[in-house]
């Protein structure tokens, strides 16, 4: 049996009020869906994991206040300060065509139409209007590639490859 995989979607910063509501720093582009009532999540710290179910959630001063069914007062909530909020990858909804979860892109090989193999995706930077993939080549050098329609031509997750068409001057070829 394969081990369940999880993605981080937030971090518990503190508790809020007396009923166990928690203040979260959210790491999700859709917190309304991610923290919708009845959503199954986990709180994790080191090797400890606690399954929780969202009872209520709401935005609050740039953060989210989330009440979990299993946590009923501020004493219980305080235990989870600085714990990560995780979701099982099998609970992630499918994305529209042409969109990918970061977990699926990390580590794939990137090939340029003219230059050939560039390296592997080692990081993804979310920089506003578009993401930027950090590609690390065999020499350990990094190439930053803006992920826009004119640059990213194709992603093939089954082969773990992406094809790009880099504009002139984006990388130093000397």
């Amino acid at each position: 049996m394969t081990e369940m995989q999880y993605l981080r979607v937030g971090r518990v910063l503190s508790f809020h009020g007396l009923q166990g509501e928690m203040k979260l720093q959210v790491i999700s582009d859709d917190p309304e869906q991610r923290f919708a009532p009845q959503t199954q999540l986990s709180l994790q710290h080191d090797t400890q994991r606690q399954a929780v179910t969202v009872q209520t959630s709401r935005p609050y001063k740039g953060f989210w206040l989330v009440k979990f069914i299993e946590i009923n007062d501020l004493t219980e909530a305080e235990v989870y300060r600085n714990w990560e909020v995780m979701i099982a990858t099998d609970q992630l909804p499918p994305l529209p065509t042409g969109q990918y979860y970061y977990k699926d892109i990390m580590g794939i090989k990137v090939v340029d139409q003219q230059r050939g193999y560039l390296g592997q995706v080692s990081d993804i930077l979310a920089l506003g209007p578009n993401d930027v993939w950090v590609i690390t080549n065999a020499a350990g050098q990094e190439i930053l590639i803006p992920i826009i329609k004119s640059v990213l031509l194709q992603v093939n997750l089954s082969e773990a490859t992406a094809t790009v068409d880099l504009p002139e001057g984006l990388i130093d070829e000397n």
Side-chain angles (χ1 to χ4, degrees), residues 1 3 5 14 19 23-25 32 35 44 55 67-69 71 73 82 86-87 93-94 100 109 124 145 147-148 153:
M1 182 175 183
E3 183 178 329
Q5 293 185 335
S14 62
Q19 304 303 314
K23 180 179 171 184
L24 304 183
Q25 174 187 27
E32 290 88 2
F35 300 104
Q44 180 178 321
Q55 182 174 339
K67 170 73 174 80
F68 297 109
I69 293 170
I71 299 169
D73 62 42
N82 295 320
M86 312 292 281
I87 188 167
Y100 310 95
K109 296 175 181 144
I124 300 173
I145 299 179
I147 302 306
I148 54 178
L153 303 179

Side-chain angles (χ1 to χ4, degrees), residues 27-94:
I27 306 164
S28 175
D29 59 351
D30 191 0
E32 290 88 2
Q33 178 183 350
R34 189 67 57 236
F35 300 104
Q38 301 306 310
T39 301
Q40 300 289 314
L41 298 169
S42 292
L43 300 176
Q44 180 178 321
H45 180 70
D46 295 328
T47 60
Q48 299 175 330
R49 180 167 298 154
Q50 171 65 46
V52 290
T53 305
V54 175
Q55 182 174 339
T56 62
S57 68
R58 59 192 166 106
Y60 177 77
K61 297 182 180 182
F63 300 96
W64 276 76
L65 298 179
V66 178
K67 170 73 174 80
F68 297 109
I69 293 170
E70 297 81 2
I71 299 169
N72 297 304
D73 62 42
L74 66 95
T75 304
E76 290 177 28
E78 181 63 20
V79 169
Y80 299 103
R81 182 188 300 262
N82 295 320
W83 283 41
E84 302 294 337
V85 182
M86 312 292 281
I87 188 167
T89 56
D90 65 358
Q91 290 191 21
L92 295 172

Side-chain angles (χ1 to χ4, degrees), residues 73-150:
D73 62 42
L74 66 95
T75 304
E76 290 177 28
E78 181 63 20
V79 169
Y80 299 103
R81 182 188 300 262
N82 295 320
W83 283 41
E84 302 294 337
V85 182
M86 312 292 281
I87 188 167
T89 56
D90 65 358
Q91 290 191 21
L92 295 172
L95 292 174
T97 302
Q99 293 185 15
Y100 310 95
Y101 286 109
Y102 285 4
K103 71 173 184 69
D104 296 330
I105 297 300
M106 293 298 294
I108 67 172
K109 296 175 181 144
V110 179
V111 178
D112 179 67
Q113 280 190 317
Q114 278 72 45
R115 297 167 186 87
Y117 177 72
L118 297 175
Q120 291 184 288
V121 178
S122 58
D123 198 3
I124 300 173
L125 309 173
L127 299 178
N130 60 275
D131 289 343
V132 174
W133 290 358
V134 179
I135 310 304
T136 303
N137 65 18
Q141 299 167 315
E142 293 183 343
I143 303 167
L144 302 179
I145 299 179
I147 302 306
I148 54 178
K149 285 185 180 188
S150 62

